[in-house]
Amino acid sequence: MNKKEKILLTVTLLMVALLFVKSFLLDEVKPKTEDELRFKQFVEKAVDENMGGFLKRNSIVKYRIVSIEQISQEGVSRIQYLDEQGKEYIEGTIRGQYRAKVRVYFLHLIPYREIKVLSREK
């Protein structure tokens, strides 16, 4: 192996390592408030129900919520979220309207698609 090939191999391995760290450790959002946590649970349920198919059933793709933002403080949104025991979904409300960005990963590592989910407006 000549010097250029070694440099190229080193850079490639470094980029794969950075992609691994970004995809597995940095991309998942950490909710700051109770309403954000409830909205995150709502988005996870909505994505699981609506995004099926061969790739999802065979665990070839993975969905991660990468951002949650409150786009309006007016009104309330009706959503479903997990109860305090975390066993079943209950219907409830959160203040304002939220938007989440969901990223789809091929082979749990390579991002290839983004989906935006809005909370329901009452």
Side-chain angles (χ1 to χ4, degrees), residues 3-91:
K3 186 175 180 177
K4 285 186 179 184
E5 290 173 341
K6 287 181 183 179
I7 291 172
L8 184 60
L9 181 62
T10 304
V11 169
T12 302
L13 291 175
L14 180 65
M15 296 302 272
V16 169
L18 287 173
L19 179 63
F20 184 84
V21 168
K22 176 199 156 307
S23 294
F24 284 101
L25 301 176
L26 300 177
D27 271 356
E28 188 78 26
V29 69
K30 291 165 184 57
K32 298 175 190 119
T33 65
E34 186 68 28
D35 284 347
E36 283 186 6
L37 175 64
R38 290 177 177 173
F39 182 63
K40 181 180 179 192
Q41 294 169 349
F42 166 73
V43 172
E44 289 169 346
K45 182 177 190 282
V47 167
D48 281 342
E49 289 176 353
N50 295 328
M51 299 294 180
F54 175 78
L55 297 177
K56 176 73 171 154
R57 281 193 308 269
N58 293 313
S59 296
I60 296 173
V61 296
K62 171 80 174 168
Y63 303 97
R64 288 191 188 99
I65 302 167
V66 295
S67 73
I68 296 175
E69 64 179 311
Q70 186 173 18
I71 56 176
S72 171
Q73 293 184 357
E74 299 171 1
V76 294
S77 297
R78 295 186 58 83
I79 61 169
Q80 292 182 341
Y81 55 89
L82 289 171
D83 62 3
E84 286 154 19
Q85 289 81 27
K87 295 184 179 179
E88 64 181 56
Y89 282 90
I90 58 174
E91 193 135 333

